[in-house]
Amino acid sequence: MELQQILQEVTRYEALPEDIEGDAEGWLRLRFGITDFSAFTINVLGWQAEDLVASPEELAIALPDYNEVLTPTYAVPDPNGSWMMLVQVLSPGTELNNAGAEDSKSTGWHASPQSKFERLLKETKVYTGLLCNGTELRLVYAPLGESSGHLTFPVQAMCEVSERLILGAMEMLLCVERLFNVPTDRRLPAILDKKP
């Protein structure tokens, strides 16, 4: 089965009635979103189940001034024994750049999920991460002392035939080979760390 078909199978869900306003016939349209991050990494990216470690305590960062603790949903172990990447899975549809997106859960620091994730990456010194809200998968690079950057992959677009290039780019950066199997200097963290 080709990669786009696999992605469609793993991310398919039926649209809710409020998602199909204006559809006089009432037909349900299929939409795509990541509802099971682990299944997505295994089936689409070729990772193994042990490549995602759920919420390691050592990576929790307390922010006492804000009465908040930043914790990744998952961490991806580096074959060398440290952590390669952190993953934050948010509630479906949470706006990644909206400071009010998680206000109901936040007790002190009213920053966007993107800002909080960048802080988590910098504080843990694991500078590469994935931020996922179901509809978007964002690769984030937040090195200490430098500007952060990110690349967002919209799930719906990757499931459309006309947007296969986006899917190809995501696979090239996040597949099992790029993260775990190629020589160390050609793995994603090394590519991101490379200075011009």
Side-chain angles (χ1 to χ4, degrees):
M1 189 181 295
E2 110 175 46
L3 183 62
Q4 193 169 52
Q5 290 173 316
I6 295 169
L7 177 66
Q8 290 170 344
E9 288 299 316
V10 170
T11 62
R12 179 172 290 153
Y13 68 90
E14 290 185 2
L16 299 172
E18 56 267 19
D19 292 335
I20 56 173
E21 276 183 38
D23 186 351
E25 300 295 319
W27 298 103
L28 287 178
R29 285 180 257 144
L30 288 177
R31 294 191 162 251
F32 300 93
I34 299 170
T35 57
D36 183 340
F37 192 82
S38 179
F40 168 78
T41 61
I42 292 168
N43 295 302
V44 177
L45 300 175
W47 297 11
Q48 301 296 311
E50 59 270 12
D51 294 332
L52 282 177
V53 177
S55 303
E57 285 184 30
E58 68 192 70
L59 294 172
I61 300 297
L63 303 175
D65 292 346
Y66 298 109
N67 194 29
E68 190 158 346
V69 177
L70 302 178
T71 309
T73 308
Y74 301 104
V76 179
D78 188 294
N80 300 328
S82 59
W83 299 106
M84 178 188 306
M85 181 185 303
L86 302 183
V87 178
Q88 188 70 54
V89 178
L90 304 169
S91 300
T94 300
E95 293 183 39
L96 302 179
N97 298 318
N98 182 355
E102 293 190 306
D103 279 348
S104 62
K105 288 194 260 179
S106 179
T107 56
W109 188 23
H110 298 288
S112 70
Q114 173 71 27
S115 296
K116 289 180 181 185
F117 192 56
E118 287 177 14
R119 174 82 180 260
L120 177 65
L121 294 173
K122 290 179 184 212
E123 294 281 334
T124 59
K125 296 182 174 60
V126 180
Y127 304 123
T128 306
L130 292 174
L131 188 58
C132 181
N133 67 357
T135 58
E136 297 173 309
L137 179 65
R138 180 175 285 181
L139 174 62
V140 180
Y141 182 61
L144 199 59
E146 297 181 33
S147 297
S148 301
H150 64 266
L151 181 59
T152 305
F153 300 98
V155 177
Q156 182 73 31
M158 290 191 293
C159 290
E160 296 171 8
V161 173
S162 61
E163 303 295 341
R164 284 188 181 165
L165 290 176
I166 298 171
L167 176 59
M170 189 255 331
E171 179 193 26
M172 212 170 23
L173 291 169
L174 301 175
C175 70
V176 68
E177 288 80 17
R178 178 66 61 200
L179 293 182
F180 304 105
N181 297 337
V182 297
T184 306
D185 65 328
R186 291 183 28 216
R187 292 184 184 164
L188 180 63
I191 291 170
L192 294 173
D193 285 341
K194 193 175 284 188
K195 306 293 182 233

